[in-house]
Amino acid sequence: MNIKLPSWNDTSTRQAILDFVAKVSDPNNTDFVPPEERISTFDNDGTLWCEQPAVQGGFIMQRLTDMANKDASLRKTQPWKMAYEKDTSWINNAVDKHYNGDDSEIKVLLGGLGKSFADMSVETFAAMALDFFKHARHPKYNCSYLEVAYQPMLELLDLLKANDFTTYIVSGGGRDFMRPITRQVYGIPPERVLGSAPTLNFKAGDQGAHIMRGAGLDILDDGPAKAVQIWDRTGRRPILAAGNANGDIPMLQFAGGKDRPALRLLVHHDDAAREASYTSGAEKAVKLAQEQGWTVVSMKNDWKQVFSFQNSKKS
Amino acid sequence: MNIKLPSWNDTSTRQAILDFVAKVSDPNNTDFVPPEERISTFDNDGTLWCEQPAVQGGFIMQRLTDMANKDASLRKTQPWKMAYEKDTSWINNAVDKHYNGDDSEIKVLLGGLGKSFADMSVETFAAMALDFFKHARHPKYNCSYLEVAYQPMLELLDLLKANDFTTYIVSGGGRDFMRPITRQVYGIPPERVLGSAPTLNFKAGDQGAHIMRGAGLDILDDGPAKAVQIWDRTGRRPILAAGNANGDIPMLQFAGGKDRPALRLLVHHDDAAREASYTSGAEKAVKLAQEQGWTVVSMKNDWKQVFSFQNSKKS
């Protein structure tokens, strides 16, 4: 385990993290927090691994394409049409419309996605996700999707584990898509992965008892839902929370509480050379971070290395 | 830890438990299950602690009485009226009507209960539950409610922990009511307690960020919902599941799966002398246990001792 954050530059950000972990772990410090209360929560896409393009997007496109390949009648219907024709302009347009208050296309997208993964057992879906991670290659980095986690964040997870923190992933992405690989990628077991999820139904019959995926959405784990789910599933407030977007604000605000210290990390994508540079979808979070004194992690300035497959270099 | 089940008589039930735990923990056994997959799930009321009268019932009555004492206008309205007048016939009648298909009174009850614990932060509610457990006495046994867990089941939890099982409580009762005391009573931390729960809302303001309880019910954790929640919150199937009522059937059915062994325990209340004798609400479960070969735990025959405050005696 790399618990000394070797892929971080020697900046005030790195020092703030080391200082916080040291003080809450020190029984002689007034900010000491007992080990069982050292809860940390991390957003996934854009915080623990890259989100441009979205990892789950690759999985979804593959499933839609597979379905359209098998069933010609789907090829003229969205969202299978765009997958079959490898034309993602429709999906970008649907998202743009959504942000402008028109949900007509996004509903077609979500409805199609719901149907594409419905009426199968959760274990069948897990096997499908595992198969994707085993074979698919990341379009930008041409590596396995299992390798696109940020090396400095992996080291931070190690540091927290070494100091008896219990870490949860709290993702806007699909919970059951991530669970099969979070232990391998992050050292985090499935029960500590929270995320968006479909309706689930119990079915008992001659083939045994199964949990089946429905076509609807049960949890959209973004914004206030992140804070609510953290309480709902853990009965705790985190003392360390990390995100990168507006949807992570409530989780960051919920960290700490009346008699607890808190470290709030906002990963800022400002590294066009090694990863990407964007604030779209993070405007409010960046503003609040300045106002509230949250700790902003600059990928460009704070990280020696972004991915394990890139060479380490001093900045 | 009492990992040899000393409060259990030397019966085939005790042996079935010891044999199951031994085989799944033995790397040389064909039924070996890796430690991280050794998930066990227990119902709470009637399985881990006594349910006649319901522990949470005492908490609810106290809250309703407190509210009626403070606000005279509530005293003529149900459910505060029955609490203020200490007349529980109304509540029994409401439950009877419910089982006969008439939900009119039960809706009044649930609506009143929702309001009685709404619009407070989850932390305020947790403090209220803790206060109840600190002061209230059990009406039948005249002991603390913290002492009404079944001693043989506490030993079973210890046995499982010693064999690297991860145990979850999956209760029809209120999740946030139990969480503050499950570590003390059962050695189970709050994040491994599943149960019924109200709607929760995130609120951020000058007083900091809080999760507030709503008046509605988000999860009624009984029947199929138990199996669904187990998957939803853990991403696993249990290999050992224990319950005592019809509402536990789906959880027991979900245990094991295609290539996993499973032990399904059904606690049978047949001990009028030391606890209670009833099958009401467990008729289907008892029948299924016989048909499917589930392991029935007879309190009368399999337990040397029911509560730690009762003297141990050989049967």
Side-chain angles (χ1 to χ4, degrees):
Chain A
M1 296 212 296
N2 290 311
I3 64 169
K4 295 191 173 173
L5 307 183
S7 297
W8 293 68
N9 287 319
D10 187 14
T11 61
S12 60
T13 305
R14 176 175 177 273
Q15 200 56 49
I17 293 170
L18 291 172
D19 288 349
F20 179 81
V21 172
K23 76 176 179 181
V24 300
S25 307
D26 175 5
N28 297 317
N29 193 296
T30 51
D31 279 331
F32 175 72
V33 175
E36 65 271 20
E37 304 289 337
R38 286 180 213 149
I39 307 297
S40 38
T41 57
F42 285 77
D43 168 59
N44 190 39
D45 296 301
T47 299
L48 288 177
W49 73 11
C50 74
E51 64 178 353
Q52 291 196 355
V55 175
Q56 197 167 356
F59 174 64
I60 290 168
M61 290 298 279
Q62 181 183 299
R63 170 70 178 160
L64 294 173
T65 306
D66 287 350
M67 289 175 81
N69 283 339
K70 279 182 196 154
D71 179 356
S73 72
L74 292 171
R75 295 173 198 168
K76 293 189 174 175
T77 311
Q78 293 293 13
W80 296 272
K81 182 172 185 288
M82 62 97 186
Y84 187 73
E85 294 173 358
K86 300 189 193 309
D87 173 14
T88 55
S89 62
W90 176 79
I91 207 167
N92 297 335
N93 186 40
V95 172
D96 283 348
K97 277 190 176 175
H98 164 69
Y99 281 117
N100 288 308
D102 175 359
D103 280 351
S104 56
E105 301 277 8
I106 207 91
K107 280 183 183 166
V108 171
L109 176 63
L110 291 176
L113 297 187
K115 280 183 206 161
S116 299
F117 298 103
D119 303 325
M120 61 177 79
S121 78
V122 288
E123 282 139 338
T124 298
F125 179 83
M128 199 183 273
L130 261 184
D131 186 71
F132 169 78
F133 281 107
K134 195 169 172 186
H135 296 108
R137 306 288 293 176
H138 193 280
K140 183 171 168 188
Y141 301 111
N142 191 31
C143 64
S144 163
Y145 280 101
L146 298 171
E147 298 174 84
V148 296
Y150 303 130
Q151 179 62 22
M153 296 305 274
L154 294 177
E155 294 167 8
L156 174 53
L157 295 181
D158 282 348
L159 171 70
L160 295 173
K161 189 174 182 180
N163 285 277
D164 297 325
F165 278 70
T166 303
T167 296
Y168 292 83
I169 293 175
V170 185
S171 175
R175 178 192 70 204
D176 295 349
F177 170 67
M178 294 176 288
R179 278 183 171 168
I181 52 90
T182 51
R183 191 190 292 276
Q184 180 183 346
V185 175
Y186 301 120
I188 293 178
E191 63 269 24
R192 287 200 261 123
V193 177
L194 286 54
S196 296
T199 53
L200 297 174
N201 302 297
F202 178 74
K203 187 175 147 189
D206 295 341
Q207 307 295 311
H210 293 282
I211 306 290
M212 308 294 292
R213 292 173 63 95
L217 197 62
D218 181 38
I219 303 162
L220 179 59
D221 194 24
D222 200 34
K226 287 201 176 196
V228 167
Q229 274 222 86
I230 289 170
W231 178 269
D232 181 288
R233 280 148 196 275
T234 73
R236 322 286 191 107
R237 277 182 193 256
I239 60 168
L240 187 156
N244 78 302
N246 296 335
D248 298 315
I249 291 171
M251 173 172 73
L252 297 172
Q253 290 174 319
F254 187 53
K258 205 171 43 158
D259 351 298
R260 285 281 165 73
L263 183 66
R264 300 173 180 86
L265 299 175
L266 188 71
V267 174
H268 189 41
H269 295 262
D270 58 0
D271 194 335
R274 296 184 300 180
E275 200 245 13
S277 180
Y278 58 96
T279 47
S280 173
E283 304 85 348
K284 285 183 197 167
V286 170
K287 188 161 171 284
L288 265 173
Q290 287 164 345
E291 289 171 11
Q292 308 276 329
W294 299 348
T295 303
V296 175
V297 177
S298 160
M299 296 181 77
K300 185 176 176 183
N301 300 323
D302 292 319
W303 290 357
K304 263 188 202 139
Q305 188 179 359
V306 176
F307 301 108
S308 62
F309 55 78
Q310 289 170 338
N311 287 331
S312 171
K313 62 172 181 182
K314 300 266 178 190
S315 72
Chain B
M1 295 213 296
N2 287 312
I3 65 169
K4 294 192 172 171
L5 307 183
S7 297
W8 292 68
N9 287 317
D10 187 14
T11 60
S12 60
T13 305
R14 176 174 177 274
Q15 200 55 50
I17 293 171
L18 291 171
D19 287 351
F20 180 80
V21 172
K23 77 175 181 183
V24 300
S25 307
D26 174 6
N28 296 316
N29 193 297
T30 50
D31 280 330
F32 175 72
V33 175
E36 66 271 20
E37 303 289 336
R38 285 181 214 150
I39 307 297
S40 39
T41 57
F42 285 77
D43 168 59
N44 189 39
D45 296 302
T47 299
L48 288 177
W49 72 14
C50 74
E51 65 178 351
Q52 292 197 352
V55 175
Q56 198 168 357
F59 175 64
I60 290 168
M61 291 298 280
Q62 181 184 299
R63 171 71 177 158
L64 294 174
T65 306
D66 287 350
M67 291 175 79
N69 283 340
K70 279 181 199 156
D71 180 355
S73 73
L74 291 172
R75 294 173 198 168
K76 294 189 172 176
T77 311
Q78 294 292 13
W80 295 272
K81 184 172 185 288
M82 62 98 185
Y84 186 71
E85 296 173 357
K86 300 190 194 309
D87 172 13
T88 55
S89 61
W90 177 78
I91 208 168
N92 297 334
N93 186 39
V95 172
D96 282 347
K97 276 190 176 173
H98 164 70
Y99 282 118
N100 288 309
D102 175 1
D103 280 352
S104 56
E105 303 278 7
I106 206 90
K107 279 183 183 165
V108 172
L109 175 64
L110 292 175
L113 297 186
K115 279 183 207 160
S116 299
F117 298 103
D119 303 323
M120 61 178 79
S121 78
V122 289
E123 281 138 338
T124 298
F125 179 83
M128 199 183 273
L130 260 184
D131 186 69
F132 169 78
F133 281 108
K134 196 171 172 186
H135 295 108
R137 306 288 294 176
H138 192 280
K140 184 171 167 186
Y141 301 111
N142 192 31
C143 63
S144 162
Y145 279 102
L146 298 170
E147 298 174 83
V148 296
Y150 303 129
Q151 178 63 21
M153 297 305 275
L154 295 177
E155 294 167 7
L156 174 53
L157 295 181
D158 281 349
L159 171 71
L160 295 173
K161 189 175 183 181
N163 284 277
D164 297 325
F165 278 70
T166 303
T167 296
Y168 291 84
I169 293 176
V170 184
S171 175
R175 179 192 69 204
D176 295 349
F177 170 67
M178 295 176 287
R179 277 181 171 169
I181 52 90
T182 51
R183 191 190 292 275
Q184 181 183 344
V185 176
Y186 301 120
I188 294 178
E191 64 269 24
R192 288 200 261 122
V193 177
L194 287 54
S196 295
T199 53
L200 297 174
N201 302 297
F202 178 75
K203 187 174 147 188
D206 295 342
Q207 306 296 313
H210 292 282
I211 306 291
M212 307 296 290
R213 292 173 63 95
L217 197 63
D218 182 38
I219 303 162
L220 178 58
D221 194 25
D222 199 35
K226 288 202 176 197
V228 167
Q229 274 222 85
I230 290 169
W231 178 269
D232 180 289
R233 280 149 196 273
T234 73
R236 322 287 188 108
R237 278 183 192 254
I239 60 168
L240 187 156
N244 78 304
N246 297 336
D248 298 316
I249 291 171
M251 172 173 73
L252 296 174
Q253 290 174 320
F254 187 53
K258 206 171 43 159
D259 30 35
R260 284 281 164 74
L263 183 66
R264 299 172 181 89
L265 299 175
L266 188 71
V267 175
H268 188 40
H269 295 263
D270 57 0
D271 194 334
R274 297 184 299 180
E275 199 247 12
S277 181
Y278 58 95
T279 46
S280 173
E283 303 86 347
K284 284 183 197 168
V286 170
K287 188 161 171 285
L288 266 173
Q290 287 166 344
E291 290 171 12
Q292 308 276 329
W294 298 349
T295 302
V296 175
V297 177
S298 160
M299 297 181 78
K300 185 177 177 183
N301 300 322
D302 291 319
W303 290 358
K304 265 190 200 135
Q305 187 179 3
V306 175
F307 300 108
S308 62
F309 55 79
Q310 291 170 335
N311 287 332
S312 170
K313 62 171 183 182
K314 299 268 177 185
S315 69

